Amino acid sequence: MNGIIRSIRDEAVFVGLDLPPRSIEAIRAFALTEPLHAIYDPKGPTFRYAEVLNGVAADGRKMPIGGITDPARCPEVREIINDPVLRAIVRGYLGHAPRKITTILDWSFGSSMSDEERRQLKHHVIDYHYDVGGYDFLYASFYITDTDRHSGAHVMIRRSHKGKPLRMLLGSARASQEAVYKEFGRDKELVIEGPAGTGFVEDTSCYHRASPPTRGDRLMLAIRFIN
């Protein structure tokens, strides 16, 4: 346990907190049948996963991401949120139990959509950024589908959660890939790929982004523990 917390403190991430097959199958089945909403139109028409082809919904809307409302309704998601090992990691890192927990379960759809099209549809997380919105926070993320750099893999810059220069702390939390490489070194970039069930815990005050999926859809569960 101490080694996991130390890894997050030093590197901003620990990879290896993986899900059992039972949880993967149940969450995937839940996500395949639940109504989805567009990330850019959360109150608009809903649709199902099977209705999206090459990033286009049945009604013709381009669809980079489809989100599920209140994924904690799924019993297996609640089990993960309350998992004693995960909670011990969070308490050890934050110093106490989290004051707030939010849960995200999204499909990222593989398509030939350009990066600029994605940005226009509020898929901004394809660009490097760091999270703000709390004194301290920790994300636990789990791939529910096999995921590689062509199907939406998470990418992060190790050790960039601390020591940011003032120019990166003022104004936007976003930065170009070139600026991030120049400041922290390209060798610090970690592309997290793995089979369904792969899990990682991350201090998302580090620079991170999502690879735009081009060859497959990604389903990912993310649980944010906020101090």
Side-chain angles (χ1 to χ4, degrees):
M1 186 68 65
N2 289 338
I4 294 174
I5 295 169
R6 186 163 54 250
S7 175
I8 302 169
R9 290 201 190 284
D10 293 346
E11 301 286 314
V13 68
F14 171 79
V15 182
L17 199 67
D18 300 340
L19 297 180
R22 177 185 65 84
S23 297
I24 300 166
E25 291 164 8
I27 295 170
R28 184 172 183 273
F30 174 77
L32 284 171
T33 55
E34 280 291 303
L36 307 176
H37 61 263
I39 189 174
Y40 55 84
D41 189 15
K43 296 187 183 301
T46 60
F47 55 96
R48 294 298 201 279
Y49 171 77
E51 298 171 350
V52 180
L53 181 63
N54 191 33
V56 179
D59 60 9
R61 290 181 297 164
K62 291 185 178 179
M63 201 60 60
I65 297 179
I68 293 171
T69 301
D70 188 18
R73 290 179 292 110
C74 175
E76 286 75 16
V77 170
R78 290 198 301 273
E79 283 182 14
I80 296 166
I81 294 171
N82 295 310
D83 179 81
V85 173
L86 177 57
R87 285 303 187 100
I89 294 168
V90 172
R91 283 195 304 272
Y93 190 77
L94 298 181
H96 54 75
R99 295 189 171 93
K100 183 179 179 182
I101 301 171
T102 58
T103 310
I104 301 166
L105 183 60
D106 286 348
W107 284 103
S108 295
F109 299 108
S111 75
S112 56
M113 202 179 301
S114 70
D115 287 358
E116 191 51 42
E117 285 179 294
R118 290 179 182 277
R119 293 183 185 104
Q120 290 173 4
L121 296 173
K122 296 187 178 180
H123 192 188
H124 300 299
V125 295
I126 61 172
D127 297 314
Y128 268 119
H129 63 284
Y130 60 86
D131 290 348
V132 293
Y135 179 73
D136 230 349
F137 40 81
L138 205 59
Y139 258 98
S141 301
F142 304 91
Y143 295 148
I144 310 301
T145 51
D146 297 344
T147 302
D148 62 19
R149 65 194 65 210
H150 304 296
S151 56
H154 184 84
V155 185
M156 53 87 62
I157 301 294
R158 293 178 293 112
R159 302 182 185 177
S160 62
H161 59 316
K162 50 189 177 182
K164 294 183 188 70
L166 188 60
R167 68 179 182 279
M168 286 182 148
L169 294 172
L170 298 176
S172 176
R174 301 185 184 280
S176 68
Q177 180 173 275
E178 292 73 21
V180 170
Y181 284 171
K182 183 176 180 181
E183 182 63 36
F184 298 101
R186 187 169 185 167
D187 61 308
K188 298 295 189 300
E189 186 175 69
L190 174 64
V191 181
I192 302 176
E193 301 176 287
T198 298
F200 51 98
V201 186
E202 181 180 17
D203 181 336
T204 55
S205 61
C206 71
Y207 278 104
H208 58 281
R209 64 180 181 86
S211 302
T214 56
R215 300 184 193 170
D217 302 333
R218 183 198 75 176
L219 178 62
M220 189 169 86
L221 170 67
I223 305 165
R224 192 181 195 194
F225 300 93
I226 304 171
N227 190 341

